[in-house]
Amino acid sequence: MVVLVKVSVGVNRRHINAGLNWLIYFTIIFFNWQFSIAIMASDWYNEFINRHYIKKKGDLIALFRYRAAGGISSEAAIGRIASESSSGTWTTLTKLPRLLPKVKAYAYKYDSRTVEVAYPPIIFENGSVPALMSAIGGNIFGMKALDSLRLQDAELPSEFVNSFKGPVYGKDAIKKIFKKKSGPITSVVPKPKLGYTAREHAEKVAYAIWKGGMDCVKDDENLTDQKFNQFDERVKWVAKFRDKAEKETGNVKDAFLNVTSPDLRELERRIKLVHDNGFKYFMIDVVVSGFTAVQTACNIARDYKMAIHGHRAMHAMFTRNESHGMSMLFLAKLMRLMGVDQLHIGTVVGKLTGSQREIVATKEMILAGADGVGEISGLRMPQKWGKIKPMLPVASGGLHPGLLPEVFGIYGTTDLVLQLGGGTQGHPMGIEAGARAAMQAIDAYKEGISLSEYAKKHRELAAALKKWNVMKPI
Ligand code: CAP
Ligand code: MG
């Protein structure tokens, strides 16, 4: 009793508040617990986790980097990744189809940062990249249970790979289109990106670039069909000055004319116009156009026996964040699979992002022959290519003659498309001299002579080195 009295006498406002706070606290804990029990009872995500799963030969194996949201366990996170990207959903269901066991993916190899998910091939539509990406690139990237998710790579099974036709030329373009024993294929994009009329683009810039020794002239990624430089006009003028340059130089000249279009019918019309004007290539902005448009363009290119230059504008929206989005490596894999002949994949030394480790791993993967490449833990999955031809890497973005030895140190010169813009047209002696300076830097590297030594007898290179030396633009 005394105790009680003491306690009751000692009790004051502060104690009552403290008592109420504890009561509220435990009530919340209790309902949260109930709530999480409810969640557990109603969700079946953990049925898509199986550490003992033995991957089957035909499985597609996706490698994800993930970070679970606060309070979410790794299992709760990876169960959601495997479930929502295959056949599951957030709650248990009252009726399940007979085929369900055949369409479930399993998270089977994981730690707190990466997970490999095995998908049965039956769940994908053969020959369709959009269908593939609606699964492994779909809802899972928006789930609240994940703070971040990045599709780093996926090993595509042979049955799926063989349902595509791949590039028409790939790396064979060097010999088959340009009749050159070895690369690089050289290209320059008129700068400024926009502002020339169709005729100025061809007569004042493209012609000078070809006369300076370049194989190709490339449309910039945002040059399509503007009032001041209409697509049909540009094709006609560029064809006229290509013929002039070919005649005067005796070399094959081509162009990467940008057919990126508002719809598939217009895309087909533009490709046909480029073909009918005698070009062997066309260019398409692969990300902004979308996978269906790229697959359509690849099928049309096959009909016309044309090569595709793939520009990747917009890729950095989802490739540069190392913990969320999709790797450039996997985007490049999809482009080779669909049939793009050459694709921008970065320079390391230029103005745009891309780690040397991932760029080299990507270059190896897109150039690999039938037996493909091996795994690089956490970065690249093994991948066999069968009959899909190798795709050429394009090195571009902030390049000038002074940086070319470093670029060739990463890519070599044999299987490469080298693309410059400002680094030729910013040359103090003009556009043709700028192209010539880049060609001289290539020759110097091939002959094993330093640029400074070579510049002693090549004034265009000397002028380029005087302006830019070896600066790395950002
Ligand atoms: C290069 C470029 C290319 C970039 C694309 C540009 O011009 O024309 O689009 O190379 O980047 O617009 O920047 P510069 P990436 O040579 O004048 O930089 O190759 O990384 O896809
Ligand atoms: Mg550009």
Side-chain angles (χ1 to χ4, degrees):
M1 195 53 179
V2 172
V3 170
L4 262 183
V5 169
K6 182 167 175 339
V7 166
S8 59
V9 165
V11 170
N12 60 28
R13 172 76 35 214
R14 203 160 48 79
H15 287 104
I16 292 170
N17 284 347
L20 275 176
N21 288 343
W22 277 110
L23 183 65
I24 293 163
Y25 176 68
F26 279 113
T27 310
I28 290 170
I29 291 286
F30 175 75
F31 278 108
N32 244 340
W33 178 58
Q34 285 302 322
F35 179 63
S36 52
I37 289 282
I39 284 264
M40 291 306 286
S42 70
D43 88 34
W44 59 323
Y45 286 130
N46 54 10
E47 281 189 30
F48 291 79
I49 304 173
N50 180 352
R51 266 202 190 281
H52 309 295
Y53 178 82
I54 313 279
K55 72 177 180 179
K56 298 184 184 68
K57 195 163 168 301
D59 283 351
L60 183 146
I61 309 290
L63 169 64
F64 293 97
R65 291 178 189 165
Y66 75 98
R67 194 169 56 236
I72 301 286
S73 69
S74 290
E75 284 71 17
I78 62 171
R80 282 161 173 74
I81 294 170
S83 165
E84 287 285 352
S85 58
S86 60
S87 49
T89 190
W90 62 274
T91 178
T92 48
L93 304 171
T94 41
K95 189 153 178 39
L96 295 174
R98 177 179 52 80
L99 273 177
L100 183 72
K102 293 187 180 307
V103 294
K104 284 174 72 175
Y106 288 104
Y108 73 104
K109 196 171 151 190
Y110 60 93
D111 57 31
S112 60
R113 288 184 52 253
T114 60
V115 56
E116 284 187 22
V117 178
Y119 295 86
I122 189 178
I123 72 169
F124 300 115
E125 177 187 348
N126 276 342
S128 173
V129 165
L132 170 71
M133 294 312 291
S134 67
I136 65 174
N139 294 356
I140 48 179
F141 286 82
M143 297 197 84
K144 290 178 181 170
L146 293 161
D147 267 351
S148 63
L149 181 65
R150 175 176 160 109
L151 173 55
Q152 181 58 34
D153 194 7
E155 180 181 8
L156 307 176
S158 303
E159 184 202 332
F160 188 72
V161 170
N162 294 337
S163 67
F164 291 84
K165 295 198 174 79
V168 174
Y169 292 92
K171 70 175 189 177
D172 294 345
I174 295 169
K175 291 188 185 71
K176 291 193 176 166
I177 294 179
F178 295 101
K179 316 292 179 219
K180 289 166 66 164
K181 283 199 193 65
S182 163
I185 294 174
T186 54
S187 162
V188 169
V189 54
K191 299 287 178 179
K193 289 180 189 255
L194 303 173
Y196 289 113
T197 63
R199 178 166 183 166
E200 290 168 342
H201 177 102
E203 188 172 23
K204 302 266 180 284
V205 187
Y207 176 62
I209 289 166
W210 279 316
K211 289 283 281 182
M214 293 285 163
D215 300 316
C216 273
V217 174
K218 174 186 153 309
D219 280 358
D220 231 323
E221 67 280 357
N222 58 340
L223 180 63
T224 52
D225 183 32
Q226 284 87 342
K227 286 194 178 63
F228 57 82
N229 188 331
Q230 290 177 348
F231 180 80
D232 292 29
E233 276 295 289
R234 185 163 73 253
V235 173
K236 186 187 75 180
W237 282 110
V238 172
K240 178 180 166 62
F241 283 91
R242 171 207 60 207
D243 295 346
K244 187 172 169 17
E246 276 195 337
K247 209 159 139 231
E248 291 167 4
T249 62
N251 297 320
V252 174
K253 301 294 181 187
D254 211 284
F256 306 146
L257 288 152
N258 189 3
V259 299
T260 302
S261 300
D263 78 21
L264 295 181
R265 286 157 303 181
E266 178 58 11
L267 174 69
E268 175 144 26
R269 189 193 71 82
R270 291 184 190 180
I271 297 171
K272 185 175 183 316
L273 185 70
V274 172
H275 170 264
D276 293 351
N277 279 271
F279 293 101
K280 297 299 283 177
Y281 271 91
F282 62 83
M283 162 179 154
I284 182 169
D285 294 335
V286 294
V287 176
V288 296
S289 298
F291 295 124
T292 295
V294 173
Q295 285 202 234
T296 303
C298 292
N299 291 336
I300 299 168
R302 212 160 284 117
D303 296 345
Y304 289 133
K305 217 171 165 11
M306 293 181 83
I308 302 176
H309 180 95
H311 194 291
R312 59 175 182 168
M314 194 174 131
H315 77 92
M317 263 194 187
F318 53 81
T319 59
R320 75 181 294 180
N321 179 336
E322 292 287 323
S323 50
H324 188 81
M326 179 170 99
S327 70
M328 183 61 221
L329 183 141
F330 189 61
L331 181 67
K333 179 177 282 186
L334 296 174
M335 294 301 147
R336 174 175 174 178
L337 192 66
M338 290 188 279
V340 173
D341 296 85
Q342 53 200 49
L343 179 73
H344 292 240
I345 62 164
T347 64
V348 183
V349 295
K351 68 185 185 187
L352 297 148
T353 56
S355 73
Q356 176 148 353
R357 187 162 178 264
E358 183 159 326
I359 286 174
V360 169
T362 304
K363 175 204 71 163
E364 290 167 349
M365 181 270 296
I366 63 173
L367 277 171
D371 293 340
V373 286
E375 181 175 3
I376 300 175
S377 173
L379 183 72
R380 185 181 76 193
M381 296 295 276
Q383 185 61 57
K384 289 197 182 313
W385 281 108
K387 62 179 179 18
I388 303 290
K389 282 185 184 168
M391 176 171 78
L392 281 173
V394 177
S396 173
L399 298 181
H400 55 80
L403 288 181
L404 298 191
E406 284 191 73
V407 173
F408 298 146
I410 295 163
Y411 283 104
T413 57
T414 317
D415 294 325
L416 174 66
V417 179
L418 180 68
Q419 146 64 37
L420 298 97
T424 51
Q425 292 148 88
H427 192 283
M429 294 160 64
I431 297 173
E432 185 173 334
R436 221 174 280 291
M439 296 308 293
Q440 289 163 2
I442 295 168
D443 295 343
Y445 186 85
K446 285 186 171 181
E447 291 166 34
I449 302 170
S450 73
L451 293 186
S452 51
E453 193 54 38
Y454 207 79
K456 287 176 186 161
K457 293 190 181 131
H458 298 85
R459 62 196 186 96
E460 294 88 349
L461 180 56
L465 293 176
K466 188 159 178 281
K467 176 167 183 178
W468 295 303
N469 194 5
V470 288
M471 61 88 68
K472 291 189 169 70
I474 52 168

